[in-house]
Amino acid sequence: MIESLKEGSQYKFLGVLENVNHDRQPGSSECKKVYLDRLSVIWSSPLSDYNRVLATSQFALPALTYFMWTQVCTTTDLQRLNRETRKVMVVNGAKHPLSSTDLLYLPRKLGGRGLKSIEREYKTVKIKGAMNLYSNNDPTIHLVRQFEEKAARTGSGSLIKDAESYTKQLGLRLELQYPQPVGVTEAGNVIDRKKFSGWSKKVNQSRGCAEIESERWQGKLIAERWRDEDVDEECFAWKDWKTAPIKTVAGLQELYQQLLPTKLYASRKTKTHTGDDEKCRLCREAQESVAHVVSGCSALAQTLYLTRHNAALKILFFEMLKGYQLADAIPPWYSPVQPKPVYQDDKVTAYWDVPVFAEHLQVRANRVDARFVDRENREVMLIEMSCPWMDNRKQKEEEKTLKYAPLRLELKRQHPGYKIRQFNIVIDALGGYSRSLKEEVKTLVGSDRYREVLRRMQKAVLSHTLHIAKTFKVMC
């Protein structure tokens, strides 16, 4: 004979300890402790940022979501758990204390971190539970449905009431009718059970974006990036850099949210700088802001900016050398190896930072970054690289084109019958580039390699931008 479970005794079901009592406060129960313990292990580990977020969703969060469909939680408890999650991230250097909360929960393709909000997960579980209750034809579930309907009528706690309340917050009217429960939007669109998850994600995403756009400081640069119609959609491709250290991603988020400790940040945001002097401490020429530090300071132009410029351009240069069979191997994007000034064979000659000596015209700007003379296809390609600030990309392209116009004319006379083409490779200091750049790089390295080349160039630019920011912190 099997004895009944005694008061205080426990048994294990699906790896979880159960007892005869119904624990209705998971926020203060063992599952909360398990969640926070797992969270601490994850965010203090040597995992990359991408893998920490993934582990949080797949290892830590299930400790809570497993119980959500049977538990009753207050919004206060759920929000407290979200705050404790963010606190763990701050303690482990994964998040700036003043960084935007909404940006954490946006998808990585929009510049967010891709974390899941516990409050949203709980509300989604409740809504989907109610819809599943009204779509299941099992006789036992029919009894559960009757019980929940009676609880809703008598004013007791009910899954149905919770689901209706939460769908109302999403702008949806829930119509629970067996066997096809649906939600109706304000525009009259019908959302069935299978489409609800995707629809709710889009709603939460659009609301998150609206909140970011309303943040005049932390959300300013992110919102400008979203509104820029010229920028390519892969400007946040670095978010899928699966091996990126946590400090790299946190540092880039700090730059995007203008949290670098500049004079402008201290006087306009934290109000800790009371003087009128907001000029850069390095060059004393312009206002000390994130944009100035990472792309406009003359004190850094010939050192750190030039290093970043060369680190990104040499990736494309080595790819082209490999394509012309002038090099046997391509060094990694982080390699300190620098190109030689000249590579040549009987078909192609490649120049790295070698001036052109004019024979027919007076040419002042004669030192183009890279040059390829293709004798077989009778073509000369000039390649110019630049890493300006976000809103200066188009201006920089026009400047480069105008600057080297006399040089193109000189080369046309030096190489009669050759086609002279100039390619302006402009990737801004935060890794964004225009859609037209994709086509230019595709022309240079081929359609099978251009995406990977651009991603490696983006990594090089961002890594050196972070180095510039860290150097600024140390010097100032």
Side-chain angles (χ1 to χ4, degrees):
M1 177 181 291
I2 301 176
E3 295 184 5
S4 299
L5 194 67
K6 296 179 181 179
E7 187 74 25
S9 300
Q10 295 177 321
Y11 67 96
K12 190 170 281 190
F13 176 70
L14 295 179
V16 179
L17 291 174
E18 307 276 3
N19 57 33
V20 294
N21 296 320
H22 188 192
D23 184 8
R24 300 186 67 84
Q25 294 184 357
S28 58
S29 66
E30 185 67 21
C31 62
K32 173 186 173 183
K33 181 178 181 302
V34 172
Y35 169 74
L36 292 176
D37 287 347
R38 292 182 179 182
L39 198 69
S40 297
V41 170
I42 290 168
W43 288 95
S44 61
S45 72
L47 289 172
S48 65
D49 180 79
Y50 181 91
N51 288 323
R52 289 192 201 189
V53 173
L54 189 64
T56 300
S57 300
Q58 296 186 358
F59 179 60
L61 193 58
L64 297 174
T65 56
Y66 178 83
F67 300 96
M68 281 181 177
W69 69 283
T70 62
Q71 304 298 324
V72 177
C73 304
T74 64
T75 302
T76 303
D77 287 336
L78 297 169
Q79 291 174 347
R80 185 183 298 115
L81 275 173
N82 274 334
R83 284 196 299 272
E84 291 186 24
T85 301
R86 296 193 294 270
K87 182 179 178 181
V88 170
M89 294 178 66
V90 171
V91 168
N92 289 283
K95 177 183 177 295
H96 191 283
L98 297 181
S99 65
S100 172
T101 297
D102 292 285
L103 197 59
L104 286 175
Y105 304 115
L106 283 181
R108 298 179 82 88
K109 66 180 181 180
L110 293 177
R113 297 291 275 275
L115 279 175
K116 292 182 179 179
S117 166
I118 297 172
E119 181 183 358
R120 290 177 188 171
E121 287 296 307
Y122 174 79
K123 292 177 178 179
T124 301
V125 166
K126 288 296 184 182
I127 296 170
K128 290 171 70 175
M131 298 183 87
N132 288 334
L133 189 64
Y134 276 83
S135 61
N136 197 314
N137 57 8
D138 188 284
T140 308
I141 297 298
H142 176 68
L143 295 176
V144 177
R145 193 161 57 241
Q146 289 181 327
F147 173 82
E148 292 292 341
E149 288 173 348
K150 183 178 179 180
R153 288 195 302 270
T154 57
S156 302
S158 168
L159 175 65
I160 296 173
K161 288 171 62 178
D162 289 344
E164 289 176 344
S165 172
Y166 298 149
T167 50
K168 200 176 206 181
Q169 294 173 13
L170 293 173
L172 192 72
R173 186 179 75 255
L174 193 60
E175 296 183 355
L176 295 174
Q177 297 179 352
Y178 177 80
Q180 292 182 339
V182 296
V184 181
T185 65
E186 296 174 353
N189 299 322
V190 177
I191 310 297
D192 62 23
R193 179 173 60 91
K194 294 181 180 179
K195 295 179 180 178
F196 173 75
S197 292
W199 179 84
S200 64
K201 284 180 182 178
K202 289 181 181 178
V203 171
N204 287 324
Q205 180 178 309
S206 62
R207 289 184 177 181
C209 290
E211 288 293 327
I212 295 296
E213 290 176 341
S214 68
E215 295 177 1
R216 295 194 298 174
W217 189 271
Q218 287 96 327
K220 180 183 177 183
L221 298 183
I222 289 282
E224 285 181 6
R225 190 68 100 192
W226 292 340
R227 290 192 290 266
D228 190 345
E229 296 179 355
D230 182 57
V231 75
D232 189 79
E233 64 272 8
E234 292 193 8
C235 63
F236 294 119
W238 54 272
K239 283 287 189 173
D240 294 325
W241 181 5
K242 297 185 179 181
T243 58
I246 193 72
K247 290 183 179 179
T248 299
V249 176
L252 289 171
Q253 288 280 10
E254 185 178 310
L255 292 177
Y256 260 108
Q257 296 180 55
Q258 304 184 91
L259 300 175
L260 191 69
T262 60
K263 283 186 178 180
L264 191 67
Y265 170 77
S267 63
R268 306 285 179 88
K269 181 62 180 175
T270 63
K271 309 295 183 183
T272 55
H273 179 70
T274 55
D276 296 331
D277 180 21
E278 294 182 350
K279 286 190 176 181
C280 176
R281 283 166 280 188
L282 299 178
C283 68
R284 304 297 302 169
E285 293 177 1
Q287 192 179 59
E288 190 179 275
S289 62
V290 173
H292 175 77
V293 170
V294 301
S295 64
C297 182
S298 60
L300 303 174
Q302 296 302 317
T303 53
L304 298 180
Y305 293 172
L306 182 60
T307 303
R308 175 178 60 190
H309 167 281
N310 291 342
L313 180 59
K314 74 179 183 181
I315 295 170
L316 176 62
F317 188 73
F318 277 120
E319 283 284 345
M320 294 182 66
L321 290 178
K322 182 75 180 297
Y324 283 118
Q325 299 180 349
L326 293 174
D328 297 328
I330 300 172
W333 65 268
Y334 49 84
S335 171
V337 174
Q338 292 296 318
K340 296 186 296 185
V342 180
Y343 296 80
Q344 64 180 345
D345 60 13
D346 22 340
K347 296 181 181 178
V348 181
T349 302
Y351 300 94
W352 172 267
D353 196 28
V354 175
V356 177
F357 295 101
E359 300 172 359
H360 305 87
L361 300 172
Q362 183 178 0
V363 179
R364 293 184 179 179
N366 67 335
R367 199 182 194 98
V368 74
D369 290 333
R371 176 166 43 105
F372 285 81
V373 180
D374 186 348
R375 288 180 287 276
E376 185 177 31
N377 296 315
R378 300 181 65 78
E379 184 177 25
V380 177
M381 289 176 286
L382 308 179
I383 301 174
E384 263 295 305
M385 177 79 196
S386 184
C387 299
W389 184 239
M390 286 170 49
D391 50 6
N392 290 338
R393 286 194 319 273
K394 187 170 288 187
Q395 177 186 345
K396 186 59 69 173
E397 288 179 14
E398 293 172 355
E399 281 181 13
K400 294 287 185 183
T401 302
L402 184 62
K403 178 180 179 181
Y404 291 104
L407 179 61
R408 294 196 300 274
L409 184 58
E410 169 65 25
L411 288 171
K412 197 167 188 65
R413 294 192 178 184
Q414 288 187 14
H415 302 276
Y418 278 55
K419 184 177 182 181
I420 312 298
R421 301 175 67 184
Q422 179 174 336
F423 296 86
N424 297 321
I425 311 299
V426 180
I427 301 177
D428 66 50
L430 294 182
Y433 51 85
S434 64
R435 291 185 173 89
S436 60
L437 180 61
K438 258 187 178 179
E439 298 303 318
E440 292 192 348
V441 176
K442 187 187 293 186
T443 302
L444 293 171
V445 300
S447 58
D448 57 334
R449 292 186 294 162
Y450 78 98
R451 286 182 183 274
E452 181 58 28
V453 170
L454 278 171
R455 290 202 173 193
R456 283 188 281 134
M457 293 179 73
Q458 185 187 61
K459 288 179 183 179
V461 169
L462 292 174
S463 296
H464 283 271
T465 296
L466 275 178
H467 178 64
I468 292 168
K470 290 177 183 177
T471 303
F472 170 78
K473 289 179 182 179
V474 172
M475 295 174 68
C476 299

